[in-house]
Amino acid sequence: MTSTDANTAYTEMDAMNVGALWRHLGDLFPTEPTSRAVPYHWSYRQLRPYMLHFADTLSIEEAQRRVLMLINPGLRDMSATVTGLYAGIQVILPGEQAQAHRHSANAFRFIIEGSGAYTTVAGERVHMSPGDLLLTPGWRWHDHYHEGDGPMMWLDGLDFPLVNALDGAFFELYPDSAQKADVPDDLSSLQFIHGRLNPSWIGERTASSPIGRYPWAETERAFTAIAEHATGSEVDGIALEYTNPFTGGPVLPTMACRVQRLVPGFLGAARRHTASTILHVVRGEGTTMVGEQAINWAEKDVFIVPPWATYQHRNGSTSHDAVLFTYTNEPVVKALSLYREEIL
Ligand code: 1HN
């Protein structure tokens, strides 16, 4: 120590990588969460031409995955879409194959347009149609192949911002470009299709759902069956959660996936909670107030709600439903006892 002057002491301590807590208490212990993530909206109509441009000009071999990342302006340094979560839009053309790899991050795909593609996940071919949810739990080999016509596009959801924040990232390329399918196509979805009858011979009760694909036809059937009998939640309308049949809980240990139907004219109650949310518009149009900001969404768009931001959904149509697919890091926040929620 060279001086008794406080500023000199701070400078000297800083060079020693020592800080004075009393100068940072307010930032380190805010009275409530102050997310760097900002409310944000990506218009599919604006993104689509860029996806098609790179589909035309960038080979899948060069890209490995041809994906446009949706990056929150407040989280650019970690390529996150909202705190702990990532969203991207992937495009694959007929005849293309995205090579097999695996990573510790959990992933899923929600299919937006096209048909005739499949992904092979740990030896099972899982076919894709619009509205299907396909799971790729962490560390499962996966490659994508497109045998249909026209471009195929989907939303990729991953938890890699959380995995990276915890220094838990591993990644590996498969020795060949594609896996061989070693079980019947779509086996896992067929085995669990009933939803309440689980195959008793599957001994291992995994934390991630064993189901490769949650088909849109099943989702639509559930909405139709419920339509006249329930009004759902005052906040979210008819909101359904995709579940792990072994636990009844979220499909992935870090991410819960849901789909919600907002009836014509629906105006939800305002709410805030400490989980992060990413939303994708399956159909319809409307407005979600996120804090003071009005997000006007249309079909296939993606938007986010930061942790602890107040939000409220409105279906903009008085004659048509709106359907939103959503995912959240709520399972992580709850597991750590950090979940708080307020309905306003
Ligand atoms: C990934 O493996 C895929 O397998 C998509 O399709 C998006 C974004 C970041 C890291 C890995 C895929 C990804 C990704």
Side-chain angles (χ1 to χ4, degrees), residues 1-20 23:
M1 185 152 175
T2 59
S3 150
T4 52
D5 169 61
N7 283 327
T8 310
Y10 291 143
T11 308
E12 287 175 10
M13 292 195 307
D14 186 64
M16 297 159 63
N17 296 301
V18 173
R23 304 176 85 198

Side-chain angles (χ1 to χ4, degrees), residues 65 86 90 101 103 109 142 144 156 158 160:
R65 294 292 188 269
Y86 159 92
Q90 180 156 179
H101 68 204
H103 34 70
R109 339 222 161 262
H142 55 286
H144 315 310
D156 286 312
L158 286 96
F160 78 74

Side-chain angles (χ1 to χ4, degrees), residues 61-83:
E61 289 74 22
E62 199 176 334
Q64 191 174 151
R65 294 292 188 269
R66 201 190 283 109
V67 179
L68 298 187
M69 304 193 291
L70 309 184
I71 301 176
N72 193 285
L75 303 172
R76 294 173 75 103
D77 53 339
M78 37 199 173
S79 296
T81 309
V82 65
T83 312

Side-chain angles (χ1 to χ4, degrees), residues 115-327:
S115 66
Y118 61 81
T119 181
T120 308
V121 181
E124 178 186 319
R125 284 183 180 168
V126 186
H127 288 85
M128 307 174 174
S129 293
D132 293 353
L133 172 68
L134 279 76
L135 303 183
T136 311
W139 213 235
R140 308 282 208 287
W141 295 112
H142 55 286
D143 49 82
H144 315 310
Y145 190 65
H146 188 2
E147 288 182 332
D149 308 311
M152 183 102 205
M153 322 238 194
W154 63 76
L155 173 76
D156 286 312
L158 286 96
D159 59 6
F160 78 74
L162 171 70
V163 173
N164 289 349
L166 297 174
D167 289 333
F170 291 87
F171 177 91
E172 196 177 353
L173 279 177
Y174 194 68
D176 293 321
S177 65
Q179 302 169 73
K180 286 200 178 55
D182 57 12
V183 299
D185 285 11
D186 298 299
L187 177 66
S188 63
S189 351
L190 297 172
Q191 286 186 144
F192 286 92
I193 201 81
H194 183 285
R196 281 171 293 185
L197 291 171
N198 288 344
S200 61
W201 60 91
I202 298 180
E204 196 196 351
R205 301 284 190 257
T206 47
S208 298
S209 169
I211 299 176
R213 170 168 71 135
Y214 293 75
W216 181 252
E218 295 289 315
T219 307
E220 202 72 89
R221 197 167 305 149
F223 280 138
T224 304
I226 294 167
E228 289 177 21
H229 307 286
T231 50
S233 121
E234 57 166 346
V235 171
D236 282 319
I238 312 284
L240 305 174
E241 178 160 335
Y242 299 89
T243 57
N244 175 347
F246 293 141
T247 62
V251 287
L252 294 165
T254 52
M255 294 186 281
C257 295
R258 298 175 185 142
V259 62
Q260 66 192 92
R261 173 172 168 253
L262 309 178
V263 296
F266 179 86
L267 175 62
R271 168 179 60 188
R272 63 178 172 175
H273 50 62
T274 51
S276 300
T277 316
I278 297 180
L279 306 94
H280 162 71
V281 184
V282 181
R283 63 171 180 249
E285 55 189 46
T287 303
T288 298
M289 290 301 302
V290 184
E292 301 294 295
Q293 196 171 322
I295 293 182
N296 295 310
W297 38 264
E299 193 166 297
K300 300 183 169 63
D301 292 356
V302 177
F303 62 102
I304 68 101
V305 178
W308 209 234
T310 299
Y311 64 107
Q312 181 176 28
H313 299 306
R314 180 194 287 275
N315 179 350
S317 168
T318 51
S319 55
H320 290 87
D321 283 348
V323 176
L324 302 173
F325 169 81
T326 73
Y327 58 111

